[in-house]
Amino acid sequence: MSILTQHSVFTATLQNGPFAVLDDPPLPHPFSREAKAWVATIRHNQLLKTKYRAVRNQIFDLLGVNTFDEILALIHDKRLRANAAERAYLLLGNMFGLAGSTREVTRHLHEYARTADNVIRLLQSKVLAPYSAHIETTNEVVTAWDPVELLLMLFDERYHKKARFEAKRKLTLMALAGSIDQRERETDIAAKFLEFLEFLNAYVWSPDYKIGDLDIRYLHSVHDPRDFSCTAVQVLSEDEAGSVVLKPGEKLTLVKRRRFNDHGVDVPIYVTIRKKEPAAKVLKLLRKNEKNPASAVDDELGLMAVLNSVNDVKRFVRHLTRSAARAESFMTLEDISDTLTGGEYAGTATGSSGKTSMLKFFARTGGMRIEFILHTNRSYLNYIYQRDVAHDEYEVKRIFDTGVVEFLFPPDIYRLDLGKIRNHQLAWFRRCIEEG
């Protein structure tokens, strides 16, 4: 389900529906012409009426008021506002399972606000980098962390429409950050991440080398001018790579490789550990149109590895299951997808390409469920460089095609032609990939 439809779980934040932020705050008299016109837009939609009541009640409960008129008093009376904030901290702390004093709860709220801001900064830093100034958040909203302060901005006529939308957006992102934090505390993901690293160092990587001892190697590759897929690849040492003069259609890619020992043979492997940061998890919830991290974020722990050949990939999978047994834990492989030797990748994510080659599975072991993505040198280079497959292009497609960009930066507020920007960014990343 699209995040932009009226059936979205984020209906209250949409700018293309009855909960849109308008030029004036939503505080007209209940029998005014504006209020009657607004009621007419949802009169025949039971779902929207139910959602409206739920949103209204949440606002009243958080602020401790019974009518919209009482909100004006909170805006202009610091003492009333401070009392409402103290009450809100207690309610939110209990909702997110935050034990401790008010100071502890506010520390978490600061963290949620920081994550909300980081969601926007993450997009500004890469996918929408050329448009960073266009989508910059209003200073007063960036510095705000108190949910009551942000909520009151929505009803304060001193704030421009853009600032009021950004306050509502920040509240939405903070709520998702809170859900993610609660999930991480419940699953103890930080401790499991350390256990995962300890398992790799103790049982998977070769004991003949020190932790962090990496071989510097370069993949010298030749690419097809039609789709920039890899047609040939050679592994070079640092010295060999230093003497290479690249021709058009060639790439030199650094890989820092570890080793694992399979029956007395050291097999080189480039590994990058994948642990999603909170801002990336928030974006994934938005892309999935979900508010529940338990059902939408299933790849909190992960590892991507690159080996020389398909045979080495198979050796690593077998070595992995044997290593788990030596660690006194059975390992099962779940949701296996293998397109390394042919076939089309059946990815369900918006923007993913059927041309993607990899072995992907989840390994359940030691009380953890870890996502593994395994590549050969050639499939890894295609993952970086091939047209319609490259991860940089995929990032642009999925953030635009799922509606997340329009959700976070609605055109009526930011005055951006998002279709044109999508095509521009795809062309820009493609140019960087092939010519950079």
Side-chain angles (χ1 to χ4, degrees):
M1 184 192 305
S2 171
I3 193 175
L4 299 176
T5 70
Q6 295 307 314
H7 294 281
S8 166
V9 299
F10 299 101
T11 308
T13 314
L14 294 176
Q15 272 298 101
N16 63 343
F19 299 99
V21 173
L22 304 177
D23 292 334
D24 297 313
L27 280 177
H29 190 276
F31 298 107
S32 68
R33 182 180 303 170
E34 295 90 347
K36 290 179 180 178
W38 184 85
V39 169
T41 64
I42 68 169
R43 179 180 298 160
H44 303 295
N45 190 321
Q46 186 58 47
L47 176 62
L48 288 180
K49 287 193 289 185
T50 301
K51 286 188 176 184
Y52 164 71
R53 294 189 189 99
V55 171
R56 179 196 60 194
N57 293 341
Q58 286 177 344
I59 292 171
F60 288 175
D61 289 344
L62 188 64
L63 297 179
V65 301
N66 295 307
T67 66
F68 283 107
D69 287 341
E70 293 178 58
I71 294 176
L72 288 173
L74 291 177
I75 292 173
H76 300 292
D77 190 318
K78 288 185 178 180
R79 182 181 58 82
L80 289 177
R81 192 162 63 247
N83 291 339
E86 284 292 324
R87 180 176 174 277
Y89 301 155
L90 174 65
L91 296 175
L92 293 170
N94 287 332
M95 183 179 76
F96 288 121
L98 301 173
S101 63
T102 298
R103 184 175 182 179
E104 181 67 14
V105 173
T106 56
R107 182 183 70 80
H108 280 276
L109 292 176
H110 274 283
E111 194 61 41
Y112 301 161
R114 192 174 299 113
T115 297
D117 293 332
N118 286 342
V119 171
I120 306 304
R121 293 191 185 106
L122 188 61
L123 296 175
Q124 285 179 300
S125 66
K126 187 172 182 181
V127 174
L128 293 170
Y131 306 92
S132 178
H134 294 78
I135 61 176
E136 188 175 7
T137 306
T138 305
N139 291 337
E140 289 75 7
V141 177
V142 171
T143 56
W145 60 270
D146 186 333
V148 168
E149 180 184 354
L150 286 163
L151 188 53
L152 290 178
M153 287 182 187
L154 284 170
F155 301 94
D156 194 335
E157 63 183 1
R158 294 174 301 172
Y159 287 90
H160 185 267
K161 174 183 177 180
K162 175 178 178 288
R164 286 187 287 111
F165 168 79
E166 289 171 344
K168 182 168 73 166
R169 180 184 69 188
K170 187 165 184 174
L171 282 170
T172 300
L173 299 179
M174 284 178 66
L176 294 178
S179 297
I180 289 166
D181 175 57
Q182 183 179 7
R183 168 72 175 169
E184 289 181 348
R185 282 183 282 111
E186 290 171 349
T187 58
D188 203 13
I189 192 68
K192 288 181 178 177
F193 183 66
L194 291 176
E195 287 179 28
F196 177 45
L197 293 180
E198 289 172 0
F199 163 70
L200 293 175
N201 287 323
Y203 296 99
V204 178
W205 309 138
S206 174
D208 297 331
Y209 300 89
K210 292 183 178 181
I211 295 173
D213 183 10
L214 306 174
D215 287 332
I216 305 299
R217 293 291 183 269
Y218 286 85
L219 303 180
H220 180 210
S221 54
V222 180
H223 296 264
D224 190 323
R226 292 170 297 179
D227 62 359
F228 221 72
S229 60
C230 177
T231 57
V233 58
Q234 184 179 8
V235 180
L236 303 180
S237 67
E238 283 188 272
D239 292 339
E240 291 170 330
S243 62
V244 169
V245 178
L246 292 176
K247 302 173 185 176
E250 293 185 352
K251 288 287 181 180
L252 204 58
T253 307
L254 172 67
V255 286
K256 298 180 179 181
R257 308 205 291 188
R258 297 173 182 261
R259 290 155 291 268
F260 68 92
N261 191 282
D262 183 56
H263 294 95
V265 178
D266 277 336
V267 181
I269 178 171
Y270 166 61
V271 176
T272 177
I273 301 294
R274 303 166 65 242
K275 182 178 182 295
K276 284 186 182 295
E277 295 302 315
K281 292 181 182 180
V282 169
L283 279 174
K284 183 162 187 175
L285 287 176
L286 294 176
R287 293 198 309 269
K288 298 278 188 177
N289 190 30
E290 278 277 2
K291 290 186 177 181
N292 181 12
S295 61
V297 184
D298 59 356
D299 55 351
E300 292 176 292
L301 289 180
L303 176 150
M304 185 174 75
V306 183
L307 299 105
N308 282 336
S309 65
V310 172
N311 187 52
D312 282 351
V313 169
K314 294 176 182 177
R315 293 173 76 173
F316 178 67
V317 174
R318 186 67 186 107
H319 173 68
L320 198 62
T321 56
R322 287 196 184 111
S323 298
R326 287 191 290 112
E328 300 183 336
S329 173
F330 188 60
M331 176 182 283
T332 61
L333 308 186
E334 304 170 351
D335 302 338
I336 300 172
S337 171
D338 184 5
T339 52
L340 281 179
T341 55
E344 187 166 291
Y345 174 62
T348 57
T350 300
S352 62
S353 171
K355 302 175 186 176
T356 304
S357 295
M358 62 181 166
L359 171 58
K360 179 179 178 180
F361 58 86
F362 285 88
R364 188 180 295 279
T365 185
M368 297 173 281
R369 190 171 188 264
I370 307 135
E371 183 187 51
F372 282 80
I373 295 176
L374 306 183
H375 283 288
T376 62
N377 290 337
R378 181 170 294 189
S379 74
Y380 175 63
L381 293 167
N382 287 338
Y383 168 79
I384 300 175
Y385 301 122
Q386 186 177 352
R387 290 174 196 164
D388 296 325
V389 173
H391 191 261
D392 283 347
E393 290 179 285
Y394 170 50
E395 277 195 274
V396 174
K397 290 176 185 176
R398 69 181 180 179
I399 207 71
F400 276 91
D401 297 352
T402 54
V404 171
V405 170
E406 184 174 341
F407 174 80
L408 295 174
F409 311 106
D412 70 308
I413 291 178
Y414 292 89
R415 308 299 183 191
L416 296 172
D417 185 338
L418 298 181
K420 185 177 180 181
I421 290 173
R422 176 190 182 275
N423 294 335
H424 175 274
Q425 288 302 93
L426 284 174
W428 184 74
F429 276 113
R430 175 46 47 192
R431 189 163 58 251
C432 290
I433 288 169
E434 296 188 16
E435 300 174 9

